[in-house]
Amino acid sequence: MTVLFGAALGWRIHQLQRAPRRLPLWAVTVTVAGVFGSSLCQQKVVADALDELSVPGAGRLLNNVLLTIALCSLLVFFRGSAQGPGKYRRAAWELIPLGAVIVLMCVALAITPPDVRGLSLGPDVVHVPGAALFYLGAGLYLIYGLIACVVWIFRYLRTTDRQLRIGLRIGGYGLALAAAGSVLRALYVVIAWAGGPTLPVLLTIAVPLVILGIVGFLVGISYPGVHARVAALRRRRRHGRYYRELNPLWTLLAAAYPNIVLRAAPAKPLESLRPRNVHRRYYRRVIEIRDGLVQLSPYLGSDLASVAEVDAASAAAELKSALGKQAAGEDTGRQAHLVLPAANDIEADVRPLLALSRAIDA
């Protein structure tokens, strides 16, 4: 799980570098960083190293402090994303309960015997006043923050696009599971201190719920970005394939009209490996073909684009005939005109060109 959150943090930092002034991105990045740091502090090697460098229980304290900061940052994100005046001022109020719970955990840790500070919650720990106060204070804040985030998430579901809605729903269910686990942990402490029996089954259920909830939250916040990356990869592969499939048509037109070939800027080191270079070469090829068809249009006797979509072989034969007339220098007396009708996007333009190019290569 630590590795997954580390990867998610790396992606968030990459997004932050591209838009450093977007406050919501900062809030989400702090959230992911806090959960990543908290997960890291749970590792025994890291926790022991922190205890040796400072005081016993420092790893446990830092783990919970980072988790509460992450949750507070998520709350700030939701409140800061709300509409209306004073939204950031309202979001700043979340710092008050955060500060209070951090002070409470520090005080609780200070009054806890050193040999108990680093221990996990269990029958031997729950009756120690400082430890119980530590876990109960942190748990109550988590319950408050998680439930508040779930409410905010499901409030936003109706106003977001489909992909973000899916991610929010997954993240909301994950936080709801984590909230349920936090409630069970708090009940464990309260029941033990109310004179009732210690119920290990509550912790047995709570721990998997919290883990599943955190993983669900990670999947939820990562889903829109991963979906966008997958879509971008598919688009890049499609453009690369189209670029190659257009080569026969482009070769014929470039041989007849060398001036259509756009002058490319000097390539920078590793430029060919950049994803956007695939799109650039594809768009340039489509533009060059369009220019070539405009120059050849006086020799074309029909709507080549419409013919290409219906009967690509006939359109290819007509194109080759027109190129022959152009090479012979015939004067048709016609004016150059657009061969491809104006379309809403370049993807619509390229369909007849692909059909024509495939027929030429057949």
Side-chain angles (χ1 to χ4, degrees):
M1 188 168 64
T2 304
V3 175
L4 293 177
F5 270 99
L9 177 60
W11 171 245
R12 287 293 168 181
I13 292 175
H14 171 69
Q15 287 185 312
L16 196 59
Q17 290 175 337
R18 298 174 63 180
R21 296 186 178 182
R22 292 185 60 188
L23 293 180
L25 275 181
W26 276 99
V28 176
T29 303
V30 171
T31 296
V32 177
V35 178
F36 171 69
S38 174
S39 178
L40 200 62
C41 290
Q42 292 180 26
Q43 308 303 315
K44 190 175 186 306
V45 175
V46 177
D48 291 344
L50 290 172
D51 290 353
E52 291 178 4
L53 290 173
S54 53
V55 296
R60 181 75 57 182
L61 176 63
L62 185 58
N63 165 25
N64 284 272
V65 167
L66 288 175
L67 195 58
T68 53
I69 290 175
L71 187 54
C72 178
S73 181
L74 190 60
L75 280 170
V76 168
F77 164 77
F78 285 121
R79 292 194 180 276
S81 301
Q83 301 296 322
K87 57 184 181 181
Y88 291 110
R89 186 169 60 252
R90 291 195 300 270
W93 281 100
E94 292 297 337
L95 299 177
I96 295 177
L98 172 66
V101 75
I102 290 177
V103 170
L104 175 64
M105 287 190 293
C106 291
V107 171
L109 188 71
I111 64 175
T112 301
D115 59 332
V116 180
R117 291 176 182 176
L119 299 180
S120 300
L121 182 61
D124 297 332
V125 176
V126 70
H127 292 292
V128 178
L133 181 62
F134 179 90
Y135 283 108
L136 184 60
L140 290 177
Y141 180 81
L142 290 179
I143 293 170
Y144 154 73
L146 290 170
I147 292 177
C149 286
V150 171
V151 172
W152 278 104
I153 284 175
F154 285 98
R155 182 182 297 179
Y156 278 120
L157 282 180
R158 298 178 182 178
T159 61
T160 57
D161 59 68
R162 181 175 180 273
Q163 302 307 328
L164 183 57
R165 191 182 306 125
I166 293 174
L168 283 174
R169 185 175 286 112
I170 295 173
Y173 290 145
L175 293 181
L177 287 176
S182 298
V183 170
L184 293 178
R185 284 168 60 94
L187 281 176
Y188 177 84
V189 177
V190 171
I191 291 173
W193 268 89
T198 55
L199 300 174
V201 66
L202 294 178
L203 295 181
T204 303
I205 299 173
V207 172
L209 285 178
V210 172
I211 294 175
L212 287 175
I214 293 175
V215 172
F217 168 71
L218 172 63
V219 172
I221 64 172
S222 302
Y223 179 83
V226 171
H227 184 273
R229 290 297 93 197
V230 171
L233 178 61
R234 289 176 178 172
R235 186 166 175 263
R236 186 163 65 247
R237 292 180 62 184
R238 184 172 67 252
H239 283 180
R241 186 176 72 251
Y242 287 173
Y243 174 84
R244 293 187 296 271
E245 291 180 359
L246 288 171
N247 187 64
L249 175 59
W250 177 86
T251 301
L252 287 180
L253 293 173
Y257 301 103
N259 62 310
I260 67 172
V261 180
L262 300 174
R263 183 176 299 176
K268 298 178 181 179
L270 302 179
E271 180 68 24
S272 61
L273 300 179
R274 294 184 177 181
R276 62 183 180 182
N277 187 58
V278 174
H279 304 300
R280 186 185 300 116
R281 291 188 294 122
Y282 163 70
Y283 292 137
R284 189 173 66 189
R285 174 149 292 183
V286 174
I287 292 170
E288 290 171 349
I289 290 174
R290 286 188 63 127
D291 290 347
L293 290 176
V294 169
Q295 296 189 43
L296 186 63
S297 60
Y299 299 95
L300 296 171
S302 63
D303 186 350
L304 190 69
S306 300
V307 174
E309 292 193 282
V310 177
D311 187 355
S314 298
E318 181 179 344
L319 177 72
K320 291 177 181 178
S321 175
L323 286 171
K325 294 176 184 178
Q326 182 269 343
E330 293 186 18
D331 184 7
T332 63
R334 301 192 187 99
Q335 296 294 321
H337 59 275
L338 288 176
V339 175
L340 294 176
N344 293 329
D345 57 74
I346 198 169
E347 303 297 335
D349 280 355
V350 82
R351 283 194 294 267
L353 300 182
L354 286 169
L356 186 58
S357 187
R358 291 165 186 156
I360 291 172
D361 195 40

